[in-house]
Amino acid sequence: MAVFASGSGSNFQAIVDAVRAGRLDVSVELLVCDRPKAKAVERAQHAGIDVLAFRPKDYGSREEYERMIVGELQRRGIDLIVLAGYMRIISATLLEPFDGRIVNIHPSLLPSFPGVDAIGQALTHGVKVTGVTVHFVDGGMDTGPIIAQRAIEIREDDTADTLAARIHAIEHELYPLVIGLIKQNRATLLEDGRTVRIQ
Ligand code: GAR
């Protein structure tokens, strides 16, 4: 599989660690990153995992860099794309060849608080419960059929930092687990393109 990230890459690291610890039976072949200086790139280099780093502004359009990515993924026989803090919309160029084989993690109980700064959005709205969602990716922003969710209570004294720390801890546990289910064909997207069956 390939992991896509834009920033710190702590979820990427959690996946790599789960594989190393024998908790997840997958082969992480590639990190794709749209910010060559991101910490995720450093983490991949440290783990000995190939990196495809690119700058979107070096390309004429999203389609152009996605075509380049698809070529690299197909050349390596990648069959699952795991978005882990990849802060870009995916277009049909990438979606169609990997239909039903792209997953994303998001730090809220979707469909609440999609997009950027989901944790800040939850605090601003004053909700008492938020959480983490893993879902199959479609053409929207953090939309697509939900595979798994975990709820987290927001405490009165929570700041963005304390809440983010608890959310990340849940993400790091949940994502390797869900990726394992997908790899074992125990979490599948049905023909209707909306229903997820967990076995
Ligand atoms: C994670 O919290 C992930 O859920 C979020 O970005 C963070 C990346 O952290 N993704 C989104 O907000 C997607 N819309 P990381 O780089 O340390 O894994």
Side-chain angles (χ1 to χ4, degrees):
M1 59 179 233
V3 179
F4 286 37
S6 300
S8 146
S10 72
N11 279 283
F12 166 69
Q13 189 70 57
I15 293 162
V16 169
D17 291 347
V19 172
R20 289 224 171 118
R23 283 182 281 116
L24 176 60
D25 186 16
V26 299
S27 170
V28 181
E29 293 288 323
L30 184 67
L31 174 81
V32 176
C33 186
D34 59 332
R35 289 189 194 146
K37 291 190 178 143
K39 176 132 188 248
V41 170
E42 240 175 74
R43 291 183 193 266
Q45 286 164 343
H46 196 250
I49 291 169
D50 283 0
V51 175
L52 175 63
F54 67 100
R55 285 184 307 192
K57 66 173 169 96
D58 292 343
Y59 294 80
S61 65
R62 171 174 312 172
E63 283 64 33
E64 222 176 88
Y65 67 71
E66 285 192 350
R67 259 200 304 277
M68 174 280 290
I69 295 172
V70 168
E72 287 291 330
L73 298 179
Q74 288 176 336
R75 195 169 66 75
R76 291 161 194 267
I78 300 292
D79 61 8
L80 178 66
I81 296 176
V82 170
L83 307 183
Y86 181 70
M87 302 308 268
R88 290 186 175 272
I89 295 273
I90 303 276
S91 85
T93 308
L94 189 52
L95 266 177
E96 275 169 15
F98 289 93
D99 192 26
R101 290 178 294 144
I102 310 181
V103 290
N104 181 42
I105 191 160
H106 185 75
S108 76
L109 291 176
L110 290 171
S112 290
F113 313 133
V116 292
D117 194 21
I119 296 171
Q121 291 185 56
L123 286 171
T124 303
H125 276 78
V127 294
K128 305 298 179 197
V129 175
T130 185
V132 172
T133 302
V134 179
H135 64 94
F136 285 109
V137 172
D138 60 12
M141 163 96 77
D142 300 316
T143 57
I146 291 172
I147 306 167
Q149 291 186 306
R150 290 282 183 278
I152 297 167
E153 251 182 70
I154 297 183
R155 299 174 186 151
E156 255 173 41
D157 59 351
D158 258 330
T159 62
D161 286 345
T162 59
L163 181 57
R166 292 208 306 291
I167 286 191
H168 286 139
I170 301 275
E171 288 187 331
H172 298 164
E173 200 179 292
L174 184 64
Y175 218 4
L177 210 129
V178 172
I179 292 165
L181 289 180
I182 293 167
K183 272 293 185 184
Q184 295 165 28
N185 283 325
R186 291 174 58 205
T188 42
L189 187 58
L190 301 191
E191 290 274 303
D192 65 6
R194 289 191 312 271
T195 315
V196 176
R197 176 181 292 153
I198 308 281
Q199 290 162 312

